[in-house]
Amino acid sequence: MKDAEILSLSVTDMVTLLSDKKLSSVEITKAYLDSIGRQQESINVYITVLYDEAIAQAEKADNARASGEATSRINGIPVAIKDNICTKGIRTTCASKMLSEFVPPYNATVVDKLIESGAVILGKTNMDEFGMGSTCQNSFFGETKNPLDVTKVPGGSSGGSAAAIASLQTPVALGSDTGGSVRLPASNCGVVGLKPTYSSVSRYGLIAFASSLDQIGVIGRNISDTAILLDEIRGYDSKDSTSSKREYRSLYSALSKKTDKKLRVGVPDECFSDYVSEDVKTAYCNAIKMLEKFGAEIIRINSIPYKQALAAYYILSSAEASSNLSRFDGVRYGYRAQNVKNTDELFIKSRSEGFGDEVKKRILLGTFVLSSGYYDDYYLRATAMKNRITSDFNCAFKNVDVIITPTSPRTALSLEHMLSCTEIYKTDMFTISPSLAGLPALSVPCGKGKDNMPIGLQIIGNYFCEETLLRAGLIIEEQNHE
Ligand code: GLN
């Protein structure tokens, strides 16, 4: 099979060809590594590419299949991993100078699961430093470009993972999502991204940004590929104290069975606000029509307080970040500054030189909102807002199965955008509230903007209702391809 043909296969196709022995994992892996080699310089999606290790893993996967030991669906399938997820013996940088030399002595649980399943890890993908950003431009290793238009950003923070999929440099990838970092890049790059219910995927080995919100998520070319990857990584883990003990059935198998359950779809008023660009509104309205055509009942719901959610998110996530990132001081962990006179200077210089501007801004903000005198005014009020948003969602889910919004109010920004940081923060206005509530949310392509760039539809579901989300996503995906 020619490389171009291999690269065009979905994971489902590859699984069939691998089990029919019509294709080997080594052939697939080589095709992807060549594709990476051709594009790495122009798009910059990987921080580390595992050329030799990937081929060795692929050979192992082929042998396991030949001897009948391969039990998992994804045995031999290549995967890319965001560079804030620890990989034993492989540099894990969080796209920061602070961790540019960090080689973890252990694997994240999700990585262990993928290796056990026989997946082939192609490399570690670029991101906004420590997950802080919406453009993938806050990286010590240089910005990632959007493969659909290299003058645009891919979205962040998991921009490398989404761009890798859109440019055929991996079939599927892991990202992490604290306030939208899987969904926004998926939307900007025209691929599918799913942030699962908080607690359903282990966070052990995910380098923390804001622990109460962080969640590892999956990105793929289509809904089924995304479901296959999520099936492999979710489940209880005793190493993560927030991990749920729930048992899960395979999403991939569930999706292959039809259901005639009528879908009730909530449409919040806020999605029609002036801040949402006209082309995004048009694509959003088309998506509503697609769901209606499929028999869904559309129900207007009271708006979720998006602006307040945004403010609460930046207070809470920065507060947690300031605490989580305090360990990177050049002594306990991370980059150590040279030529210092005393320990105070060592801490100050290591942190000043090791962190980029956005990370420093968040640490300052977080330290401020936690300081005495301001704690009640900011941190406690933000916590109250988070609780209110959670109960608003709980109320809404009494009457609807899913809630839909645009993933972002606009298409991908230009690399040269001159937006202030607060304007950039608003690109996450729709993704943040489900994160605050810990709900699962999906971004699926639902059209194109005036600039011919993709637009994503966000589908939010109730806790542990990933199957419902993916089913709704399938309706959009199928009609989009017609
Ligand atoms: N863009 C948001 C931020 O900068 C969300 C990031 C994320 O989900 N990791 O905080």
Side-chain angles (χ1 to χ4, degrees):
M1 202 180 264
K2 290 209 186 84
D3 274 11
E5 262 177 274
I6 296 179
L7 298 179
S8 71
L9 298 170
S10 67
V11 174
T12 324
D13 295 336
M14 283 190 268
V15 171
T16 316
L17 292 166
L18 281 169
S19 45
D20 293 350
K21 311 252 176 337
K22 292 197 176 124
L23 192 61
S24 72
S25 174
V26 170
E27 287 171 283
I28 299 175
T29 305
K30 280 193 175 146
Y32 274 103
L33 290 174
D34 286 350
S35 170
I36 295 170
R38 283 195 298 276
Q39 302 181 78
Q40 178 58 12
E41 238 167 74
S42 52
I43 310 181
N44 192 30
V45 304
Y46 284 94
I47 292 176
T48 305
V49 185
L50 301 169
Y51 287 103
D52 298 336
E53 297 86 337
I55 295 290
Q57 279 175 354
E59 280 167 357
K60 226 169 125 192
D62 283 336
N63 290 339
R65 205 173 277 277
S67 60
E69 286 159 35
T71 48
S72 159
R73 202 171 267 132
I74 62 157
N75 180 73
I77 303 289
V79 181
I81 296 184
K82 186 175 179 179
D83 210 20
N84 59 352
I85 299 176
C86 286
T87 39
K88 186 175 173 179
I90 297 160
R91 185 169 75 134
T92 300
T93 68
C94 279
S96 180
K97 179 173 179 183
M98 185 54 93
L99 288 178
S100 55
E101 312 275 317
F102 175 55
V103 177
Y106 67 99
N107 275 331
T109 297
V110 289
V111 173
D112 268 340
K113 284 186 180 229
L114 290 178
I115 292 175
E116 263 162 48
S117 306
V120 174
I121 300 174
L122 293 172
K124 306 296 296 287
T125 53
N126 203 5
M127 54 183 280
D128 287 298
E129 186 178 1
F130 283 98
M132 298 174 193
S134 308
T135 60
C136 212
Q137 292 180 299
N138 305 335
S139 166
F140 176 62
F141 297 91
E143 65 194 4
T144 294
K145 298 194 168 100
N146 192 317
L148 306 177
D149 176 348
V150 289
T151 68
K152 300 263 162 75
V153 306
S157 66
S158 314
S161 290
I165 293 167
S167 57
L168 309 184
Q169 296 187 63
T170 185
V172 274
L174 294 186
S176 70
D177 191 311
T178 305
S181 275
V182 157
R183 292 159 281 163
L184 178 65
S187 168
N188 281 185
C189 294
V191 296
V192 174
L194 172 61
K195 179 201 96 76
T197 307
Y198 185 81
S199 81
S200 62
V201 174
S202 167
R203 287 182 299 110
Y204 179 74
L206 167 68
I207 297 174
F209 160 12
S211 316
S212 74
L213 304 164
D214 293 342
Q215 188 61 88
I216 291 175
V218 289
I219 311 180
R221 232 175 268 168
N222 58 42
I223 300 274
S224 305
D225 288 5
T226 313
I228 290 179
L229 189 58
L230 183 56
D231 277 343
E232 295 299 326
I233 60 165
R234 63 181 184 163
Y236 173 67
D237 179 16
S238 59
K239 293 188 198 131
D240 172 357
S241 60
T242 59
S243 169
S244 161
K245 291 213 165 114
R246 189 176 258 264
E247 299 279 323
Y248 302 98
R249 59 182 188 144
S250 161
L251 288 165
Y252 177 71
S253 312
L255 292 180
S256 60
K257 295 184 195 97
K258 293 259 172 279
T259 147
D260 24 81
K261 196 172 165 268
K262 199 168 163 193
L263 201 61
R264 295 166 306 160
V265 178
V267 171
D269 297 336
E270 211 81 16
C271 301
F272 303 97
S273 81
D274 289 347
Y275 196 72
V276 180
S277 70
E278 283 311 315
D279 45 356
V280 170
K281 265 185 221 162
T282 310
Y284 179 66
C285 292
N286 281 341
I288 296 177
K289 283 190 206 123
M290 287 182 201
L291 291 163
E292 249 178 337
K293 190 173 136 201
F294 195 80
E297 182 188 353
I298 306 296
I299 301 166
R300 287 295 281 258
I301 59 170
N302 281 342
S303 65
I304 310 287
Y306 290 97
K307 285 191 196 118
Q308 293 86 333
L310 211 54
Y313 168 82
Y314 277 95
I315 291 170
L316 297 174
S317 64
S318 302
E320 292 186 36
S322 72
S323 159
N324 276 326
L325 271 58
S326 65
R327 70 187 69 149
F328 302 113
D329 55 13
V331 176
R332 285 175 297 170
Y333 289 99
Y335 165 82
R336 179 175 296 181
Q338 301 301 311
N339 305 324
V340 292
K341 292 190 215 72
N342 51 42
T343 15
D344 275 356
E345 202 181 311
L346 172 67
F347 289 147
I348 293 169
K349 267 184 104 179
S350 298
R351 286 170 70 79
S352 306
E353 291 170 11
F355 289 132
D357 288 348
E358 185 64 30
V359 174
K360 283 184 207 159
K361 201 188 302 165
R362 308 275 180 117
I363 293 174
L364 288 172
L365 176 64
T367 312
F368 173 74
V369 298
L370 289 175
S371 57
S372 73
Y374 294 103
Y375 182 83
D376 291 7
D377 279 352
Y378 292 101
Y379 189 80
L380 285 188
R381 283 172 70 190
T383 308
M385 182 49 68
K386 177 183 176 183
N387 294 341
R388 176 177 155 200
I389 287 164
T390 308
S391 67
D392 281 357
F393 272 119
N394 286 341
C395 276
F397 281 119
K398 289 197 178 112
N399 302 316
V400 299
D401 303 306
V402 293
I403 296 171
I404 59 169
T405 73
T407 304
S408 181
R410 52 160 81 102
T411 53
L413 296 174
S414 145
L415 287 172
E416 258 119 53
H417 69 84
M418 300 292 282
L419 295 183
S420 65
C421 71
T422 43
E423 281 301 309
I424 296 179
Y425 293 171
K426 284 188 195 158
T427 51
D428 294 320
M429 64 186 283
F430 293 123
T431 52
I432 269 170
S433 22
S435 292
L436 288 173
L439 293 163
L442 172 79
S443 177
V444 59
C446 71
K448 292 227 165 124
K450 286 199 285 290
D451 52 2
N452 209 26
M453 293 302 281
I455 294 172
L457 178 75
Q458 175 175 241
I459 310 178
I460 309 164
N462 209 343
Y463 299 102
F464 302 104
C465 291
E466 275 79 354
E467 186 184 323
T468 316
L469 289 192
L470 292 166
R471 277 192 192 285
L474 269 179
I475 300 174
I476 303 292
E477 185 173 274
E478 279 162 12
Q479 297 196 42
N480 233 353
H481 287 163
E482 266 171 18

